[in-house]
Amino acid sequence: MYKIAVLGDRDSIYGFAALGLETFPVLSDEEAVETLKKIAEDGYAVIYITENLLSALDKEVEKYREQILPAIIPIPGVSGNTGAGIANVKKLVEQAVGSDIIFNN
């Protein structure tokens, strides 16, 4: 069975433990990079990362974009939605379809 991890600051991710997901709170960007590498190597299929942390992990996350697993999915943190999740989905749709399907008025 595949495992699911949640990576981010403690306040943003502690509630996911109640859902049975494994949480990995980090205090610094360097710790986040090392933790992401460890999680990916340990066979996690899905890794949720808080949006504010995602920007610090951009280079490391890029290594996994072409792989089937792990799927890395941004989630909003306690500080709110930064728009990184929507931007990521938009980018993936553009790659798959070949054009932007979201029109802003």
Side-chain angles (χ1 to χ4, degrees):
M1 180 176 222
Y2 290 114
K3 299 184 285 184
I4 300 174
V6 186
L7 178 65
D9 62 279
R10 184 188 175 285
D11 291 339
S12 295
I13 68 170
Y14 75 89
F16 289 96
L19 299 173
L21 305 179
E22 293 188 50
T23 57
F24 295 88
V26 293
L27 298 174
S28 69
D29 294 349
E30 295 78 21
E31 182 183 8
V33 169
E34 292 306 314
T35 303
L36 177 59
K37 288 178 184 177
K38 179 184 174 294
I39 293 170
E41 291 171 2
D42 285 348
Y44 285 82
V46 177
I47 303 171
Y48 292 105
I49 301 177
T50 56
E51 288 180 341
N52 59 344
L53 188 58
L54 189 65
S55 61
L57 297 174
D58 201 35
K59 286 184 179 180
E60 191 64 31
V61 168
E62 193 63 37
K63 296 176 184 178
Y64 303 106
R65 291 215 196 276
E66 299 298 320
Q67 298 179 13
I68 295 173
L69 295 177
I72 297 178
I73 302 168
I75 57 172
V78 292
S79 60
N81 185 352
T82 65
I86 296 296
N88 186 40
V89 170
K90 183 179 177 186
K91 179 181 171 185
L92 293 173
V93 169
E94 286 178 10
Q95 288 176 340
V97 176
S99 95
D100 184 3
I101 63 167
I102 300 173
F103 298 99
N104 295 326
N105 292 332

